[in-house]
């Protein structure tokens, strides 16, 4: 409920027609204990008549002769606390009477807000108590770095009384504080070691974003002493061990692989996606993951497999768009020896066979040719597979995850995707929202990526808040992949330790910028480049990363294999 009049007014006010006799007017006024009443003709507001004007008059006279104008008229959009007097008549833009605020509505509004205020006060008191009695040191600084909140625990750590700290610049009160840096960068710094009063502590520094701007930052000192971390880590390892034994999985098998906690982002829409994916991992039902390119379909599929207590085999991934149609069948089904000229002796198992007891991930399923769709459908129905050139059927048991950035339902309507297969795949649909729809996840992704890069390059670079703000405004058509490629490029190219907007290349305008960064991943851009231009861009990228092909492929947004192909085509090796 807002404070607007529309939410509080009485929508069916009493009124009279100008042609009605005073007799009726008097009757209504006296019966309802009113001193005035509205007059309306053809729904249009005409004014009011007052009891004092009509009380001694001839009862057969008409209401129209006694209408007075009245300035207690307001629109329904006005805030109720702006009203000067009651009763006030609510009239819309067409001049129609649509409600009124009398003493009754006014009282209702006031008792409600008083109650709400009281509840808020109680909540505030509760927050204050939690804040003050928390075991962790908590502080909040405003956008200028001035301490606004400072709890008892924090006061103990820094040995400055709370009253003294409040209102002071954090840099003067907290030794080596990095809260001003977090205010500047807008990027959270979690679980960082910090030395305070000769004591090693672990701190979190969290920027608080509002309307695309950092408005404050919170500092949290989590542990009394670093040694406690080791105890916590030990406890966590214990917990992990019991979890693995419960699921009787090989604890080393999937440890280094993607898990749900590795999926960065806690925006409401992405949290929902993760929740569905987590549930899906506990069953064997087929999953169909949809979402634009680069949103994380592949890693969500991996997390589902890795967290599954059921699929103990391998995660086998096949990109249906990347394999030429002629090879797809032998890739998926394998072949027997002598199936065709050049076939390996003893034959070769296909990806479906390799996924036995594990997960088969068919990426870009929308690009699977119709003939192959029929064959896959048969495998799903019969749970058996036959290698090309053999008539031996092997039973197989696998969990199927498919992904696409196409509208498969539309493809079914158009007849390019089999309806029966669609319904086999569409059991648990998981949609991953685009980065545009969850821009609030950008800072956490940036923070992780920069920490990773710092680790990799043995550096301590930071990023300016304006760059993060600018990131909020970008379309990120290539989603997370584009964002992390962009960050890596910015990191590598920036010569200063603090990456600012100045480090963005200025030879291209904003719109082109991002598509140019991983230009080869973007089909349209790649197609529009001449061979010479493509060669130059690859050469330039390789020079920037000092010949490191893995990094070059990442920056270009292509696989290493594609990069090698291009290098040999352009004789750049
Ligand atoms: N939530 C996330 N947290 C961390 N990294 C992510 C997240 N989502 C995606 N990524 C990273 O972004 C890149 C692209 O992700 P992925 O390959 O899974 O996308 P995709 O939707 O399968 O793309 P495509 O449709 O082009 O195959 C990968 O490097 C992946 O690790």
């Amino acid at each position: 409920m807002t404070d607007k009049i529309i939410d509080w007014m009485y929508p069916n006010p009493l009124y009279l027609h100008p042609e009605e006799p005073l007799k009726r007017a008097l009757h209504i006024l006296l019966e309802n204990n009113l001193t005035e009443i509205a007059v309306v003709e053809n729904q249009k507001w005409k004014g009011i008549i007052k009891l004092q004007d009509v009380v001694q008059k001839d009862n057969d006279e008409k209401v129209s002769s006694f209408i007075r104008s009245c300035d207690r008229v307001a629109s329904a959009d006005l805030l109720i606390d702006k009203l000067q007097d009651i009763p006030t008549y609510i009239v819309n833009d067409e001049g129609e009477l649509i409600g009124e605020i009398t003493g009754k509505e006014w009282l209702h509004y006031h008792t409600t807000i008083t109650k709400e205020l009281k509840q808020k006060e109680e909540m505030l008191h509760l927050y204050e108590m939690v804040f003050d009695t928390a075991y962790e040191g908590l502080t909040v600084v405003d956008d200028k770095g001035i301490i606004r909140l400072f709890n008892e625990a924090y006061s103990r750590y820094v040995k400055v009384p709370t009253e003294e700290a409040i209102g002071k610049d954090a840099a003067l009160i907290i030794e080596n504080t990095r809260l001003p840096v977090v205010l500047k960068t807008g990027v959270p710094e979690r679980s960082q070691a910090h030395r305070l009063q000769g004591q090693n502590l672990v701190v979190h520094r969290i920027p608080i974003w509002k309307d695309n701007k950092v408005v404050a930052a919170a500092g949290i000192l989590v542990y009394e002493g670093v040694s406690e971390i080791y105890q916590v880590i030990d406890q966590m390892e214990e917990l992990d061990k019991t979890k693995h034994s419960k699921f009787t999985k090989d604890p080393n098998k999937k440890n280094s692989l993607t898990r749900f906690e590795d999926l960065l982002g806690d925006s409401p829409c992405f949290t929902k996606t993760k929740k569905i994916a987590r549930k899906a991992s506990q069953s064997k039902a087929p999953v169909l993951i949809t979402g634009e390119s680069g949103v994380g379909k592949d890693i969500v599929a991996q997390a589902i497999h890795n967290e599954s207590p059921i699929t103990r085999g391998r995660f086998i991934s096949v990109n249906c768009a990347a394999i030429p149609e002629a090879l797809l069948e032998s890739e998926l089904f394998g072949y027997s020896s002598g199936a065709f000229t050049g076939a390996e002796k003893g034959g070769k198992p296909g990806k479906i066979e390799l996924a036995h007891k594990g997960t088969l991930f068919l990426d870009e399923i929308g690009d699977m040719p119709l003939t192959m769709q029929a064959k896959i459908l048969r495998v799903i129905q019969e749970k058996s597979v036959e290698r090309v050139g053999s008539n031996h059927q092997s039973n197989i048991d696998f969990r199927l995850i498919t992904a696409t950035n196409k509208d498969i339902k539309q493809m079914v309507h158009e007849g390019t995707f089999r309806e029966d297969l669609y319904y086999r795949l569409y059991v648990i649909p998981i949609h991953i929202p685009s980065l545009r729809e969850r821009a609030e996840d950008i800072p956490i992704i940036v923070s992780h990526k920069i920490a990773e890069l710092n680790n990799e390059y043995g550096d301590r670079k930071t990023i300016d808040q304006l760059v993060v703000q600018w990131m909020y405004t970008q379309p990120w058509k290539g989603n997370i992949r584009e964002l992390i490629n962009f960050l890596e490029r910015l990191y590598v190219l920036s010569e200063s330790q603090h990456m600012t907007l100045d480090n963005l290349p200025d030879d291209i305008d904003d719109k082109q910028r991002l598509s140019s960064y991983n230009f080869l991943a973007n089909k349209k851009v790649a197609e529009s480049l001449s061979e010479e231009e493509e060669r130059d861009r690859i050469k330039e990228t390789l020079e920037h990363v000092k010949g490191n092909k893995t990094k070059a492929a990442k920056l270009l947004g292509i696989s290493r294999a594609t990069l090698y192909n291009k290098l040999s085509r352009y004789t750049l090796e």
Side-chain angles (χ1 to χ4, degrees), residues 146-147 150 155 158-169 172-173:
I146 305 297
I147 297 176
F150 197 79
S155 155
V158 295
K159 302 201 168 35
V160 176
T162 302
E163 315 78 68
E164 209 173 289
I166 302 271
K168 301 260 167 56
D169 189 335
L172 301 175
I173 303 289

Side-chain angles (χ1 to χ4, degrees), residues 262-264 270 293-299 363 480-481 484:
D262 300 322
L263 301 178
L264 301 175
F270 191 56
S293 179
V295 283
K297 297 187 290 297
D298 194 340
I299 64 164
D363 200 359
I480 312 228
R481 180 182 297 114
I484 58 187

Side-chain angles (χ1 to χ4, degrees), residues 258 262-265 270 274 289 291-302 319 361 363-364 403-405 432 438 441 445 448 478-482 484-485 554:
T258 313
D262 300 322
L263 301 178
L264 301 175
F270 191 56
K274 280 199 280 189
I289 308 176
E292 292 177 11
S293 179
V295 283
K297 297 187 290 297
D298 194 340
I299 64 164
V300 167
Q302 287 180 38
N319 186 323
F361 175 51
D363 200 359
E364 316 279 10
T404 182
N405 53 21
I432 309 183
R438 52 184 179 114
D441 288 339
I445 297 170
H448 269 256
N479 292 292
I480 312 228
R481 180 182 297 114
E482 188 179 12
I484 58 187
N485 286 346
K554 260 191 185 173

Side-chain angles (χ1 to χ4, degrees), residues 112-366:
T112 311
I113 58 161
T114 314
K115 209 162 119 201
E116 274 176 7
L117 260 180
K118 201 153 176 274
Q119 279 169 353
K120 278 190 185 149
E121 239 172 51
E122 280 166 11
M123 277 312 283
L124 196 64
H125 184 58
L126 212 65
Y127 286 143
E128 271 173 8
M129 270 174 23
V130 172
F131 192 79
D132 283 337
T133 52
Y135 178 60
E136 290 81 17
L138 303 170
T139 185
V140 176
V141 297
D142 65 15
D143 59 339
K144 309 267 178 322
I146 305 297
I147 297 176
R148 294 287 167 210
L149 297 169
F150 197 79
N151 75 351
E152 286 298 314
Y154 217 108
S155 155
R156 276 200 305 279
Y157 287 121
V158 295
K159 302 201 168 35
V160 176
T162 302
E163 315 78 68
E164 209 173 289
I166 302 271
K168 301 260 167 56
D169 189 335
L172 301 175
I173 303 289
I174 311 164
E175 191 185 323
N176 306 327
T177 181
R178 279 181 57 83
L179 285 173
V181 178
V182 171
L183 279 174
K184 211 158 112 195
T185 61
V187 176
E189 296 183 353
R190 291 179 200 266
S191 310
Q192 304 284 306
H194 185 84
R195 199 163 173 80
L196 210 56
Q197 301 278 347
Q199 209 184 346
N200 286 334
L201 298 164
V202 173
V203 303
H204 300 307
R205 306 178 192 100
I206 318 289
I208 299 167
W209 286 80
K210 196 178 165 205
D211 301 332
N212 284 355
K213 254 172 54 195
V214 177
V215 291
I220 307 164
L221 297 174
V222 185
Y223 300 102
E224 286 275 1
V226 165
S227 59
E228 279 194 23
I229 299 177
Y230 296 110
Q231 287 171 15
V232 175
I233 291 174
D234 285 350
Q235 284 168 9
M236 283 177 176
E237 276 175 359
E238 276 307 306
L239 279 176
D240 268 356
K241 272 188 212 150
T242 44
K243 185 176 163 210
H244 286 304
S245 63
K246 189 169 124 211
F247 295 146
T248 57
K249 271 202 288 188
D250 174 3
N252 298 319
K253 196 183 69 183
K254 295 172 179 177
N255 261 359
S256 59
L257 303 176
T258 313
R259 292 181 173 277
F260 286 115
E261 63 256 30
D262 300 322
L263 301 178
L264 301 175
D266 43 23
S267 55
C269 58
F270 191 56
T271 306
K272 200 167 141 199
T273 300
K274 280 199 280 189
K275 208 166 150 193
I276 302 173
R278 209 180 272 277
K279 274 200 177 150
S281 73
Q282 302 302 305
S283 84
K284 256 187 99 174
V287 170
L288 174 63
I289 308 176
T290 53
E292 292 177 11
S293 179
V295 283
K297 297 187 290 297
D298 194 340
I299 64 164
V300 167
Q302 287 180 38
I304 294 176
H305 169 77
N306 293 332
E307 297 271 359
S308 164
I310 308 160
T311 51
R312 293 169 55 203
R314 292 166 62 189
F315 177 81
I316 301 290
S317 167
V318 182
N319 186 323
C320 304
I323 304 171
E325 191 172 341
L327 296 182
L328 190 57
E329 183 171 10
S330 59
E331 188 73 14
L332 284 170
F333 292 83
Y335 50 81
S336 60
S337 58
F340 45 81
T341 342
E344 267 176 46
K345 239 187 162 177
K348 199 176 167 223
K351 300 281 192 190
I352 303 177
E353 255 180 86
L354 294 176
H356 185 50
K357 299 274 177 215
T359 301
L360 178 66
F361 175 51
L362 297 179
D363 200 359
E364 316 279 10
I365 185 81

